[in-house]
């Protein structure tokens, strides 16, 4: 109650969203030169505040910025095989609606020689989309010959107080897209080629993403050789965000506005959007929701390296858990009504 007026959870969550933006987050992601950062400044101004920032000039010394072309990577990797994700549409690990049901769609996974991967990546109108997106410490584990052409961000390592738990290499084209999700890691995301477009929401805004429990399924080949979804056996469900910030048609945009009114609400601060280009690094704080799409342009493919650092399970993790629980309760009551 405020005075004699009852206040519902939705109103309080809306106020939380607005106050978080007004007090600290703002409506844009700052860009800071690495020359202005020390580990202390980085920790004080961004890590401790769980606030994203784009850092310029932080990887200018990486040989990868100049050397990593498709031909160069193929030559360095030789006959080595890498893990590749394959889908019909480029939306792996995302919600797919099929025959009236919602599935969390895992990609078909395969091992593929690097030369074959790049050849397939450049092939137009193949009807399928491939993406090197393995999150298994893939740079040292699968792309070892390239490892020495990047370097840890020493000031970030000092700020987090630990070495990276994983260093992953991402290679894909325009069609690859990552759905809204969050990670329990502090993420330093460095773009080497092409551009990445991040759409961001802070942990307080979990209610705007309309998480639903979806049946987990994976793309597999049918008898005709086409990819189709097969639910896992035994069946299991996974809560996942159902909002697509880039509906592919006007009709789907209108449907999304009806199904997800709080994501599109013009009275709420819009999601943050930031473009990260070659040579730039995004600090993506732990527990922030992010959607990622790619712009290959003349580079043919988009290449990025990210460092995952262990997050601190402190009070912000407790706040984020509460926000998740309130969001689940809010939408559960909405469906019940």
């Amino acid at each position: 109650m405020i005075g004699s007026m009852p206040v519902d959870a939705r109103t309080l969550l809306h106020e939380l969203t607005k106050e978080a933006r007004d007090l600290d987050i703002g409506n844009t992601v700052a860009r800071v030169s690495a020359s202005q950062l020390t580990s202390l400044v980085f920790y004080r101004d961004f890590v401790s505040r769980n606030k994203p920032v784009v850092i310029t000039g932080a990887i200018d010394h990486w040989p990868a910025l100049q050397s990593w072309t498709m031909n160069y990577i193929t030559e360095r990797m030789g006959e080595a095989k890498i893990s590749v994700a394959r889908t019909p549409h480029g939306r792996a690990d995302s919600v797919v609606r099929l025959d009236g049901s919602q599935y969390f769609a895992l990609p078909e996974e395969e091992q593929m020689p690097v030369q074959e991967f790049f050849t397939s990546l450049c092939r137009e109108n193949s009807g399928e989309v491939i993406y090197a997106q393995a999150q298994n410490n893939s740079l040292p584990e699968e792309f070892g010959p390239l490892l020495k052409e990047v370097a840890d961000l020493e000031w970030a390592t000092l700020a987090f107080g630990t070495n990276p738990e994983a260093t992953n290499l991402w290679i894909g084209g325009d069609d690859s897209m990552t759905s809204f999700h969050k990670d329990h890691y502090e993420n330093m995301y460095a773009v080497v080629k092409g551009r990445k477009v991040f759409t961001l929401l802070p942990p307080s805004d979990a209610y705007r993403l309309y998480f639903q429990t979806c049946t987990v399924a994976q793309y597999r080949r049918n008898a005709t050789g086409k990819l189709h979804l097969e639910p896992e056996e035994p069946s299991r469900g996974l809560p996942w965000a159902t909002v697509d910030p880039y509906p592919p048609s006007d009709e789907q945009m209108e449907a999304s506005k009806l199904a997800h009114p709080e994501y599109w609400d013009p009275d709420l601060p819009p999601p943050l959007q930031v473009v990260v280009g070659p040579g730039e690094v995004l600090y993506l704080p732990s527990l922030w929701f992010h959607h990622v799409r790619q712009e290959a342009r003349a580079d043919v493919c988009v290449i990025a390296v990210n460092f995952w650092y262990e997050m601190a399970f402190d009070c912000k993790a407790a706040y984020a858990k509460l926000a998740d629980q309130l969001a689940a309760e809010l939408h559960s009551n909405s469906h019940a009504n």
Side-chain angles (χ1 to χ4, degrees):
M1 303 279 288
I2 297 179
S4 60
M5 296 291 291
V7 179
D8 62 18
R10 177 174 278 103
T11 299
L12 292 173
L13 286 168
H14 284 200
E15 287 302 312
L16 176 61
T17 290
K18 294 174 182 178
E19 288 188 3
R21 294 295 186 92
D22 291 342
L23 292 174
D24 188 27
I25 295 172
N27 291 309
T28 59
V29 176
R31 307 182 85 87
V32 176
S33 169
S35 63
Q36 300 175 330
L37 283 183
T38 63
S39 57
L40 177 60
V41 170
F42 177 57
Y43 182 83
R44 181 193 67 199
D45 292 352
F46 301 104
V47 178
S48 67
R49 293 162 65 179
N50 201 232
K51 185 173 180 176
V53 62
V54 173
I55 301 130
T56 60
I59 60 172
D60 288 351
H61 60 293
W62 283 12
L65 278 183
Q66 303 301 322
S67 64
W68 280 8
T69 64
M70 289 188 293
N71 287 337
Y72 179 83
I73 293 173
T74 300
E75 180 181 335
R76 293 284 291 134
M77 292 292 294
E79 299 300 317
K81 292 184 177 182
I82 60 172
S83 301
V84 175
R86 187 186 293 270
T87 63
H89 40 55
R91 301 188 178 205
D93 303 329
S94 65
V95 175
V96 173
R97 293 167 179 81
L98 184 65
D99 298 330
S101 298
Q102 291 193 137
Y103 296 94
F104 177 73
L106 297 168
E108 180 189 56
E109 296 180 346
E110 60 185 288
Q111 293 290 305
M112 182 182 294
V114 173
Q115 176 65 63
E116 182 182 342
F117 168 72
F118 281 126
T119 300
S120 299
L121 190 64
C122 297
R123 186 180 299 134
E124 296 183 1
N125 303 318
S126 66
E128 296 178 356
V129 177
I130 60 174
Y131 191 20
Q133 60 160 30
Q135 298 158 48
N136 58 353
N137 201 30
S138 62
L139 182 53
E141 295 294 332
E142 297 196 1
F143 293 89
L146 304 177
L147 183 59
K148 292 183 178 180
E149 298 183 34
V150 306
D152 289 357
L153 306 171
E154 293 183 2
W155 45 270
T157 296
L158 285 171
F160 296 127
T162 183
N163 291 321
E165 284 204 355
T167 304
N168 300 308
L169 180 61
W170 309 74
I171 307 176
D174 280 341
D175 293 331
S176 297
M177 195 173 296
T178 304
S179 64
F180 263 121
H181 67 289
K182 65 180 178 181
D183 298 313
H184 289 78
Y185 291 100
E186 303 285 4
N187 192 349
M188 302 299 295
Y189 204 102
V191 175
V192 178
K193 298 289 185 183
R195 304 201 307 175
K196 296 269 188 172
V197 181
F198 288 81
T199 303
L200 308 175
L201 283 173
S204 59
D205 286 24
Y207 70 97
R208 301 179 69 183
L209 293 176
Y210 294 82
F211 278 75
Q212 294 183 23
T213 299
C214 305
T215 300
V216 178
Q218 185 170 23
Y219 283 105
R220 301 187 188 278
R221 299 282 173 190
N222 61 19
T224 64
K226 291 186 177 181
L227 291 175
H228 75 295
L229 273 179
E230 288 186 9
E232 284 191 350
E233 294 292 345
S235 179
R236 66 183 177 105
L238 182 70
W240 204 260
T242 57
V243 172
D244 179 356
Y246 300 98
S249 68
D250 291 341
E251 181 181 357
Q252 287 168 299
M253 171 64 84
E254 291 307 311
S256 183
K257 288 181 177 179
L258 289 174
H260 313 119
E262 281 160 318
Y263 181 83
W264 302 104
D265 189 341
D267 293 327
L268 291 174
L272 301 177
Q273 188 174 94
V274 58
V275 179
V276 186
E280 297 180 334
V281 178
L282 171 67
Y283 165 54
L284 179 58
S286 56
L287 306 179
W288 271 65
F289 297 101
H290 51 287
H291 176 283
V292 192
R293 62 187 178 90
Q294 308 195 122
E295 295 179 355
R297 295 192 168 186
D299 294 288
V300 179
C301 60
V302 181
I303 305 176
V305 174
N306 87 295
F307 302 92
W308 271 335
Y309 294 84
E310 184 177 3
M311 66 169 277
F313 284 85
D314 51 18
C315 59
K316 75 172 180 294
Y319 301 153
K321 183 177 180 181
L322 175 61
D324 290 347
Q325 291 170 333
L326 290 173
E329 185 67 18
L330 177 68
H331 294 309
S332 173
N333 289 338
S334 297
H335 290 312
N337 293 333

